[in-house]
Amino acid sequence: IKVRDDGIGIPRENAGKIFDFGFSTTNGTGLGLFHVKDIVKKLGGNITVNNELRKGSEFIIKVRK
């Protein structure tokens, strides 16, 4: 599964923290991506982020059948 947006992207200094519990650059809770990663992991998969696009970011989720 690939999810891509056309926003401003993720600053390099934040790329390693986006899946951390409570991490947010907004006034959010920082739980969304943390929970997504946890669920994908429980399904035996993984999630990565491609932040090297000209604009935006792309999340890649891989799970086994």
Side-chain angles (χ1 to χ4, degrees), residues 2-65:
K2 292 182 180 181
V3 179
R4 183 181 295 177
D5 71 26
D6 60 358
I8 61 170
I10 301 167
R12 290 189 189 274
E13 63 270 12
N14 294 338
K17 301 181 265 186
I18 61 171
F19 297 108
D20 292 352
F21 179 84
F23 179 77
S24 176
T25 59
T26 65
N27 290 328
T29 60
L31 297 177
L33 288 174
F34 172 80
H35 283 302
V36 169
K37 184 174 182 175
D38 185 54
I39 291 167
V40 170
K41 185 177 177 181
K42 287 177 181 176
L43 293 171
N46 65 22
I47 182 170
T48 57
V49 63
N50 175 8
N51 199 32
E52 299 301 319
L53 306 172
R54 283 189 243 164
K55 187 174 183 184
S57 297
E58 177 182 51
F59 291 87
I60 304 158
I61 298 170
K62 295 180 182 180
V63 291
R64 290 182 269 166
K65 286 186 176 182

